[in-house]
C-alpha cells in the first residue's frame, strides 16, 4: 500500500508507524505527509526520514475557492497513488468529497472508547479531562474509518486501558498514547494482511 499520513501535532503516532516499518512489522510505503501546520513535530519527523511533506492550510491559500482548495488534497493523493490515508493527530475535518473518494480508506485514531467521548471538541487533553470528570474506570483507544461525521465512522479496533485512582488527565493521556503506538501499526498490519478490508 501507499500511505499518506495526515498530522498536525507532535507526530508520535507517525513515528511509531515509521518504527514499525523499519522493524519489518509493516511493509507499506509511507509516501507522503499532509499537514495544516508547517511547524509541527510531524514535519520534522517526515523531513528527517526523507518523506515528502505537503502543507495545505486555508491560511496559505486564502484566495482559492472551495473546489480549488479541495483539489490540492485530491491531486496530491492521486500523484502519490495513495490507497490508505492514516490520520495521526490531524486537527482538521476531512472534506466530504475526500471521504467519498477514499471511502473506507481513511483511518483515524482516537484516544478514548468511541462512541463515548468523541465529537467536534473532543481532542487532545479535552478527551482525557472529560473521561476523568465522568468517573468511568476504563478508557482506551479507538481506530475507526472516517466518514462525514466527527468520530462516527465504523470502528475497526479498540483497546481498553484501566484508569487508576491516581490517574489524572495527563497521566491517562500518556498511558493511552503508549498503547496507541502499538495499536496503530497493528491495524495497518491487519489491513496489509487482508484481515481488515479497506475500500468498497
Ligand atoms: C493522539 O492522542 C491521537 O489519538 C489523537 O491525536 C493524538 C496525536 O498525537 N488523534 P501524536 O501527534 O501522534 O503524538
Amino acid at each position: 500500500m501507499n500511505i499518506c499520513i495526515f498530522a498536525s501535532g507532535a507526530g508520535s503516532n507517525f513515528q511509531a508507524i515509521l518504527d514499525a516499518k523499519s522493524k519489518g512489522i509493516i511493509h507499506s510505503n509511507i509516501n507522503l505527509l499532509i499537514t495544516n501546520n508547517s511547524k509541527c513535530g510531524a514535519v520534522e519527523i517526515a523531513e528527517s526520514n526523507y518523506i515528502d511533506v505537503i502543507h495545505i492550510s486555508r491560511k496559505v491559500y486564502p484566495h482559492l475557492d472551495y473546489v480549488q482548495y479541495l483539489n490540492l488534497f485530491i491531486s496530491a493523493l492521486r500523484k502519490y497513488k495513495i490507497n490508505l490515508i492514516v490520520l495521526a493527530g490531524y486537527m482538521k475535518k476531512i472534506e466530504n468529497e475526500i471521504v467519498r473518494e477514499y471511502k473506507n480508506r481513511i483511518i483515524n485514531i482516537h484516544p478514548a472508547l468511541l462512541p463515548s467521548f468523541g465529537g467536534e471538541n473532543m481532542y487532545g487533553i479535552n478527551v482525557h479531562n472529560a473521561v476523568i470528570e465522568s468517573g468511568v474506570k476504563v478508557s482506551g483507544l479507538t481506530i475507526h474509518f472516517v466518514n462525514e461525521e466527527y468520530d462516527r465512522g465504523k470502528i475497526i479496533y479498540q483497546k481498553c486501558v484501566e484508569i487508576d485512582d491516581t490517574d489524572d488527565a495527563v497521566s491517562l493521556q500518556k498511558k493511552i498514547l503508549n498503547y496507541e503506538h502499538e495499536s496503530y501499526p497493528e491495524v495497518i498490519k491487519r489491513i496489509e494482511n487482508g484481515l481488515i478490508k479497506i475500500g468498497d
Side-chain angles (χ1 to χ4, degrees), residues 9-13 88-89 109-111 177 180:
S12 70
N13 278 288
I109 188 162
H110 183 78
L177 195 58
E180 291 182 40

Side-chain angles (χ1 to χ4, degrees), residues 7-15 42 87-91 108-112 123-124 128 141-142 173 176-177 180-181:
S8 313
S12 70
N13 278 288
F14 177 24
Q15 183 65 60
L87 308 188
Y90 185 62
M91 300 301 288
N108 181 45
I109 188 162
H110 183 78
Y123 60 86
H128 306 287
L141 65 93
T142 303
Q173 182 177 44
I176 292 175
L177 195 58
E180 291 182 40
H181 297 160

Side-chain angles (χ1 to χ4, degrees), residues 13-28 30 181-182 184-186 188-189 192:
N13 278 288
F14 177 24
Q15 183 65 60
I17 292 165
L18 292 172
D19 291 345
K21 180 165 161 84
S22 53
K23 287 182 197 148
I25 297 169
I26 61 168
H27 304 284
S28 296
I30 320 292
H181 297 160
E182 291 169 13
Y184 227 179
E186 172 62 29
I188 293 171
K189 185 172 126 187
E192 288 177 347

Side-chain angles (χ1 to χ4, degrees), residues 57-134:
S57 157
R58 264 286 167 208
K59 286 184 196 139
V60 182
Y61 299 103
H63 52 287
L64 297 187
D65 66 25
Y66 180 71
V67 173
Q68 290 168 325
Y69 185 67
L70 189 67
N71 203 39
L72 296 174
F73 291 92
I74 302 278
S75 56
L77 294 168
R78 286 186 185 153
K79 179 176 167 207
Y80 285 81
K81 299 189 173 21
I82 298 301
N83 33 37
L84 180 68
I85 297 172
V86 175
L87 308 188
Y90 185 62
M91 300 301 288
K92 296 282 174 192
K93 191 163 186 296
I94 301 294
E95 311 290 352
N96 289 347
E97 289 80 357
I98 301 172
V99 171
R100 276 182 227 121
E101 173 132 352
Y102 289 85
K103 187 163 179 233
N104 294 335
R105 289 184 182 276
I106 310 176
I107 59 175
N108 181 45
I109 188 162
H110 183 78
L113 295 174
L114 294 174
S116 297
F117 306 108
E120 189 165 355
N121 293 313
M122 282 293 177
Y123 60 86
I125 199 71
N126 297 354
V127 178
H128 306 287
N129 277 326
V131 167
I132 294 287
E133 275 164 29
S134 77

